[in-house]
Amino acid sequence: MSDLPLDLVEEILSRVPAASLKRLRSTCRRWNALLKDRRFNEKHFHKAPKESIVLMLKEYRVFPISVNLKVTPPSVDFKGALGYSHSNSEQVVITEVFHCDGLLLCTTNDDRLVVWNPCLGETKWIQLKVDYRRYVSIFALGYIQNNESCRSYKILWTWYSYDYNSSPPQRGLGFEIYEFSSDSSWRVLDDVNHDSVVNHNSIIRSGVSLKGNTYMLAYDIEENSKFLLMFDYTTERLKRLCLPHFQDVGEMDLSVREEQLSVLNWSRNTSKMEIWITNNFDTEATLLWKRVHLDSQCNCVRIFSSLYFDEEKKVVLYCNVKDGETSKKVVYIIGEDDGHYIEIPFVKSIKIERLQLIHTTRWYSLIFNYVPSLFQIQ
């Protein structure tokens, strides 16, 4: 291929999956320069086949998992954890993960954030504020498209504060932003909530990333209602969107796959699931797919994360906490015809036990669809 015109080489390589393409970075200087070009990265993201990987946060590490739907009952197998450590070779303790187009935003136990591209092995560490632990915090990663080939990444920090000394107790809600391009300190967003789409009585849950923006579920305590929030990283403002009209509002979660946003609702009263999907984001989330009822007999505490896994077979993969004398973290594979599940073995990490962090640092199970990308961390 060395004799081919560069534009033809670019067109060919833009159709090669990222996981295969990264091996070529060390074979040719010209190719290495091309693979680092932001314009090519954007072109590759839209043209290359999306080789999805299912990842799970389990025991402070990120594991690829293999799901076999061709056997009865379906099976889930864990592969080796994705490797990442400090320069001193100590294992990084990851407590939360947010995914955005091949980049992982990880919250660690040492009050720092790390943005990580597992495909390229690149990382960027970001220091949190000194008083970070005073708040209940949610972090999300997004970007603005400056032009056709340049993305400018930002991190949204949503935090809550509680004052139990006041009567009645007061809640505070705030938003701050971190911009990669300026590499500056956190900036308070004063006008993010200009339309009063949320108030101090709102509880916002961690969300998902789609086309650079963040979508989050929110709950209004006073109104006893749930709604969808979208944070636009260009305008740095929130927008309130409508959720589908569920028959029985229960536990909800969001997932993203192939530029489609899925809303999952699980009813405690009927043990049924509804899934709605939209890919129209110019209006208030016009739903383009019919409801799917999934009859589940699982007794759950809370849905931590869901993944609409197979549209043809109408199968959902999600992880949860199982009720009982002792809580168990469980992976469920729920189909339209039957409700079967397998359990995740809880194995404590030797490294975590040695650092005596297993009793002081919480981790939540999280399953998400991951597509490797060539996007570089600024």
Side-chain angles (χ1 to χ4, degrees), residues 82-93 116 123 125:
L82 297 181
Y84 180 70
S85 60
H86 285 292
S87 56
N88 59 7
S89 298
E90 282 194 8
Q91 181 67 44
V92 175
V93 178
W116 175 27
T123 58
W125 285 90

Side-chain angles (χ1 to χ4, degrees), residues 188-228:
V188 176
L189 298 178
D190 294 319
D191 198 30
V192 64
N193 194 28
H194 72 294
D195 289 330
S196 300
V197 295
V198 293
N199 55 48
H200 65 277
N201 290 311
S202 301
I203 298 176
I204 301 175
R205 288 183 53 189
S206 181
V208 294
S209 174
L210 185 57
K211 295 184 177 181
N213 296 322
T214 296
Y215 293 80
M216 302 171 285
L217 288 169
Y219 173 68
D220 191 299
I221 300 174
E222 289 186 347
E223 297 180 1
N224 191 27
S225 62
K226 295 184 179 180
F227 53 94
L228 184 64

